[in-house]
């Protein structure tokens, strides 16, 4: 009861002695705090940006020095920039056939990956669920999966070309068969690792199969499923470049192969940079979706 | 008179390969409506197996469990369980954890608004409304157990099954939760079957204490009535003769006649 009074008295006693400077001081503190905050923030950004910039600059200089001499087999960065200027500045040109801007090549590759990867995700999660849930399915399918997943992606290409008799579906199939294994295996592990507690809760509540799938299984296995999906997208992007080199047509893989055949080494280097950046962005995208969906699942 | 919940000559044998382990032997127990019964015994004596049999999570080898004269052999919300380690779904908020049960049990029986109100009402019963939008990882162990209790109560079970609900909590939190459970039992008149290994907890909360012998082939060794009037107050009971006598009986059973022998 007496507490508040005591408090105010104390506060007064402290505030009484010097009322005049108290008006000026807080403002000063505020401004310097704000300045400090901005400085700290800038320092933080600099600490992240400066190291990679320095490393890239050093790498470019070394590259330039090494490839500048007469008789160098690869072009130095300055020549790469000069020769690919048109490709960099206008990625959207289209002169028919495969003579198109990089945007069209990349988007064709991305479309194939999107289709193959989407199929692999759906079928992979479904098969993974089956293998994770049923002892019989696991015993029957797991040995087959373990053998098939070691087959290199490109080894599937001739077979799929024979089956589909067309480059487009064959490339999509190669992406599918490359991305599906990590999705299946991780989903199955995730399903098998659903704690018995959650299963008991579902039993007491009498959740039906569908409710169990959506309300317990998917959220509980989500961290595992997304690990599989993330490995899958990386493998897809690896496989598409190789597959497109063989099937031809529009696509970043064939663009690289075509540049090699025409001895446009600078174009190859530019294409590799784009492939790297897009692979990185794809990985980040799946990771982003993953952290959004699995919010809270990992911590218990 | 027939009992509300009747465990009738239940045997349970686990078979793994060629080895058979008899866990429970000839367990018979009748529980009246509104009664609070505790099962106490050393760890490994099959207490949890017995509770899981009543819950329907584990099938019996012989005998049966009757609830209102009907055999129960699969799990259902009429026998809601509060699990030892809370078993809340970590990806759902406190509110959604309870709502999941409410939506499932009262689908078609209550309107959307009624289900919402019922969820909040049950969170209010265990004083957890303030944390309804938090996830289980963000609340303390005692709070998780409260939410688990709210989820079980929200199913309006005929029998509430508590599987060492306070086992993982510190002593102070445990005492606090025991008081809450007593208050709720007084208010809602639930029939409760609780597993415990804490003598004080058993005497404080129960109308009857079922003491189990050590496994394998655990049986009911003794059943003790606790003739203490309700509401019970922890502090007043500390010096109560009846309380002390009951406590003494349970301790004697557990530590003299059926001392826990480490399995060789």
């Amino acid at each position: 009861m007496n507490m508040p009074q005591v408090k105010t008295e104390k506060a007064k006693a402290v505030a009484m002695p010097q009322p005049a400077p108290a008006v000026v001081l807080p403002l000063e503190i505020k401004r310097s705090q704000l300045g400090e905050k901005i400085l700290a923030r800038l320092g933080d950004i600099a600490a992240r940006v400066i190291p990679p910039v320095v490393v890239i600059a050093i790498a470019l200089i070394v590259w330039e020095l090494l490839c500048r001499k007469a008789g160098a087999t690869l072009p130095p960065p300055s020549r790469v920039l000069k020769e690919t200027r048109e490709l960099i500045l206008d990625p959207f040109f289209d002169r028919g056939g495969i003579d198109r801007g990089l945007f069209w090549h990349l988007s064709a590759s991305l479309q194939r990956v999107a289709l193959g990867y989407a199929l692999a995700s759906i079928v992979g999660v479904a098969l993974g669920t089956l293998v994770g849930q049923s002892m019989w399915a696991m015993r029957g399918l797991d040995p087959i999966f373990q053998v098939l997943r070691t087959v290199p992606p490109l080894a599937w290409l001739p077979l799929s070309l024979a089956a589909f008799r067309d480059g487009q579906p064959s490339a999509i199939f190669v992406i599918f068969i490359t991305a599906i294994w990590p999705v299946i295996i991780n989903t199955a592990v995730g399903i098998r690792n659903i704690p018995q507690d959650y299963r008991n809760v579902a039993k007491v509540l009498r959740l039906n199969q569908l409710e169990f799938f959506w309300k317990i299984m998917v959220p509980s296995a989500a961290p595992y499923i997304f690990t599989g999906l993330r490995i899958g997208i990386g493998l897809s992007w690896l496989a598409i470049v190789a597959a497109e080199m063989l099937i031809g047509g529009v696509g970043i893989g064939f663009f690289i192969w075509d540049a090699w055949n025409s001895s446009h080494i600078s174009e190859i280097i530019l294409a590799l940079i784009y492939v790297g950046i897009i692979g990185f962005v794809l990985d980040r995208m799946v990771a982003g979706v993953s952290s959004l969906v699995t919010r809270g699942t990992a911590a218990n | 008179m027939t009992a509300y919940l009747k465990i009738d000559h239940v045997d349970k044998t686990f078979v793994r390969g060629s080895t058979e382990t008899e866990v429970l032997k000839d367990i018979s127990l009748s529980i009246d409506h509104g009664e609070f019964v505790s099962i106490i015994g050393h760890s490994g004596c099959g207490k949890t197996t017995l509770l899981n049999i009543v819950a329907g999570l584990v099938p019996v080898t012989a005998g049966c469990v009757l609830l209102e004269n009907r055999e129960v052999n699969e799990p259902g919300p009429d026998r809601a369980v509060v699990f030892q380690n809370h078993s809340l779904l970590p990806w759902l908020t406190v509110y959604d954890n309870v709502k999941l049960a409410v939506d499932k049990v009262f689908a078609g029986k209550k309107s959307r608004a009624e289900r919402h109100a019922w969820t909040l009402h049950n969170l209010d019963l265990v004083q957890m409304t303030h944390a309804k939008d938090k996830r289980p990882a963000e609340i303390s162990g005692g709070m998780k157990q409260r939410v688990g209790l709210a989820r079980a109560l929200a199913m309006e079970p005929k029998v509430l099954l508590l599987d060492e609900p306070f086992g993982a909590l510190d002593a102070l939190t445990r005492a606090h939760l025991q008081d809450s459970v007593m208050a709720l039992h007084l208010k809602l008149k639930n029939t409760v079957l609780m597993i415990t290994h804490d003598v004080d907890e058993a005497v404080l909360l129960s109308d009857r204490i079922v003491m189990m012998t050590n496994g394998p082939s655990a049986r009911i060794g003794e059943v003790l009535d606790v003739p203490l009037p309700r509401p019970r107050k922890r502090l007043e009971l500390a010096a109560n003769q009846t309380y002390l006598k009951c406590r003494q009986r349970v301790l004697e059973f557990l530590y003299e006649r059926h001392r826990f022998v480490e399995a060789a």
Side-chain angles (χ1 to χ4, degrees):
Chain A
M1 275 284 155
N2 284 328
M3 281 304 277
Q5 240 181 334
V6 173
K7 249 188 188 169
T8 50
E9 268 172 21
K10 259 191 190 165
K12 260 184 208 163
V14 173
M16 282 296 261
Q18 338 148 291
V23 189
V24 187
L25 268 171
L27 263 172
E28 262 182 6
I29 288 167
K30 227 181 192 175
R31 199 174 286 165
S32 71
Q33 270 178 343
L34 196 73
E36 259 172 43
K37 245 186 192 170
I38 293 174
L39 264 175
R41 195 68 184 273
L42 281 175
D44 214 39
I45 293 171
R48 278 159 198 268
V49 172
I50 290 173
V53 168
V54 169
V55 170
I56 290 171
I58 292 174
L60 284 175
I61 290 167
V62 171
W63 175 11
E64 180 78 38
L65 290 176
L66 282 176
C67 299
R68 214 169 171 176
K69 292 174 272 178
T73 47
L74 295 177
S78 54
R79 212 168 85 213
V80 171
L81 203 66
K82 210 164 65 193
E83 287 178 358
T84 58
R85 206 188 167 85
E86 192 205 4
L87 281 171
I88 296 172
L89 291 180
D90 184 13
F92 299 107
F93 72 85
D94 184 355
R95 298 193 203 103
I98 56 162
D99 192 8
R100 296 182 191 196
L102 274 171
F103 171 82
W104 302 110
H105 288 287
L106 286 167
S107 90
S109 300
L110 278 172
Q111 275 173 31
R112 293 189 182 111
V113 167
L115 253 172
Y117 178 68
L119 277 173
S121 307
I122 295 165
V123 178
V125 170
L127 278 175
T129 307
L130 182 70
V131 172
Q133 268 295 79
S134 149
M135 197 49 113
W136 272 99
M138 191 191 82
R139 285 184 186 153
L141 291 172
D142 198 54
I144 302 171
F145 291 165
Q146 295 299 342
V147 170
L148 287 185
R149 80 189 173 92
T150 64
V151 175
L154 279 193
W156 292 99
L157 190 60
L159 194 67
S160 54
L161 276 171
F164 295 113
R165 311 208 164 267
D166 187 13
Q168 181 73 357
S170 303
I172 292 170
F173 175 77
V174 168
I175 297 306
F176 169 81
I177 207 79
T178 309
I180 197 167
W181 308 117
V183 179
I184 291 178
I185 290 165
N186 281 284
T187 303
V189 170
I191 300 284
R192 240 174 278 150
N193 281 352
I194 295 175
Q196 188 59 39
D197 290 338
Y198 302 169
R199 293 182 186 273
N200 284 346
V201 169
K203 278 188 201 160
V204 169
L205 287 175
R206 289 200 180 132
L207 296 184
N208 61 38
Q209 287 290 314
L210 206 67
E211 286 167 326
F212 181 68
F213 180 77
W214 283 116
K215 293 188 171 158
I216 309 280
M217 221 186 247
V218 170
S220 180
Y224 292 88
I225 296 175
F226 273 100
T227 305
L229 289 175
R230 214 171 145 189
I231 299 171
I233 193 76
L235 292 180
S236 303
W237 193 239
L238 290 183
I240 189 67
V241 174
E244 282 176 348
M245 284 186 177
L246 295 176
I247 60 163
V250 181
I252 194 68
F254 189 68
F255 174 87
I256 293 172
W257 196 245
D258 192 45
W260 158 242
N261 284 333
S262 334
S263 300
H264 294 153
I265 309 300
S266 296
E267 290 183 6
I268 298 179
I269 291 169
L270 180 70
L272 290 192
I273 292 168
Y274 275 117
V275 168
I277 290 171
I278 287 179
F280 175 74
V281 169
L282 287 176
D283 182 65
R284 290 280 102 197
M285 270 165 57
V286 177
V289 174
S290 160
S291 67
L292 210 71
V293 173
T294 59
R295 218 172 354 132
T297 8
N300 192 352
Chain B
M1 203 195 106
T2 52
Y4 188 63
L5 175 72
K6 192 176 166 95
I7 302 170
D8 196 7
H9 298 284
V10 163
D11 293 344
K12 177 66 196 175
T13 306
F14 283 112
V15 182
R16 169 167 277 182
S18 58
T19 52
E20 290 191 2
T21 321
E22 189 174 51
V23 181
L24 297 171
K25 173 87 183 153
D26 199 26
I27 304 279
S28 290
L29 181 66
S30 293
I31 298 173
D32 287 332
H33 192 254
E35 204 178 5
F36 196 123
V37 175
S38 289
I39 297 176
I40 197 165
H42 291 291
S43 72
C45 76
K47 308 183 292 268
T48 298
T49 306
L50 181 57
L51 186 103
N52 282 343
I53 286 174
V54 177
L57 293 168
V58 170
V60 294
T61 307
C64 64
V65 176
L66 299 167
L67 179 61
E68 291 182 310
N69 288 322
R70 284 166 114 180
E71 184 173 2
V72 285
N73 46 20
E74 58 177 21
D78 54 346
R79 284 151 290 129
V81 189
V82 177
F83 296 96
Q84 190 170 359
N85 47 354
H86 70 78
S87 298
L88 298 178
L89 304 176
W91 53 88
L92 296 179
T93 61
V94 162
Y95 172 86
D96 287 330
N97 262 290
V98 179
K99 187 83 187 311
L100 176 72
V102 173
D103 279 347
K104 182 62 190 166
V105 175
F106 296 104
K109 288 180 220 151
K110 283 185 199 281
S111 72
R112 223 181 149 75
E114 280 170 334
R115 292 201 300 265
H116 171 71
W118 180 243
T119 305
L120 288 182
H121 170 72
N122 279 283
L123 282 173
D124 195 38
L125 278 179
V126 297
Q127 292 134 43
M128 282 303 296
T129 320
H130 64 93
K132 71 182 171 66
D133 295 321
K134 294 217 166 101
R135 285 168 197 274
E138 298 162 354
I139 60 179
S140 71
M143 288 178 171
K144 284 178 205 165
Q145 235 15 307
R146 282 177 188 277
V147 178
L149 190 59
R151 177 173 64 184
L153 288 172
M155 299 178 207
E156 279 196 325
K158 289 175 178 159
V159 181
L160 186 60
L161 303 171
L162 309 178
D163 184 5
E164 292 185 25
F166 318 123
L169 304 176
D170 65 272
L172 292 176
T173 312
R174 188 186 306 180
H176 198 52
L177 260 171
Q178 286 164 351
D179 291 342
S180 294
V181 166
M182 267 198 291
L184 284 171
H185 180 239
L186 209 64
K187 189 172 172 184
L188 305 173
K189 308 265 182 284
N190 295 92
T191 309
V192 185
L193 182 62
M194 178 175 80
I195 303 291
T196 183
H197 50 225
D198 181 334
V199 178
D200 286 298
E201 179 173 287
V203 179
L204 180 67
L205 295 178
S206 326
D207 298 313
R208 271 192 301 154
I209 302 174
V210 175
M211 291 170 255
M212 291 183 66
T213 65
N214 285 325
S217 306
R219 290 169 292 106
I220 292 180
E222 201 177 318
V223 179
L224 177 72
D225 276 308
V226 184
L228 290 167
R230 290 179 191 271
R232 296 172 182 173
K233 294 258 158 53
R234 183 182 299 277
L235 285 176
E236 291 165 16
L237 287 178
N240 183 304
Q241 281 310 309
T242 321
Y243 177 85
L244 292 175
K245 229 179 263 168
C246 291
R247 196 166 173 275
Q248 186 66 23
R249 279 285 292 279
V250 181
L251 285 172
E252 272 170 18
F253 179 90
L254 289 177
Y255 298 108
E256 235 171 67
R257 277 177 287 156
H258 294 277
R259 207 172 332 149
F260 181 61
V261 188
E262 201 74 50

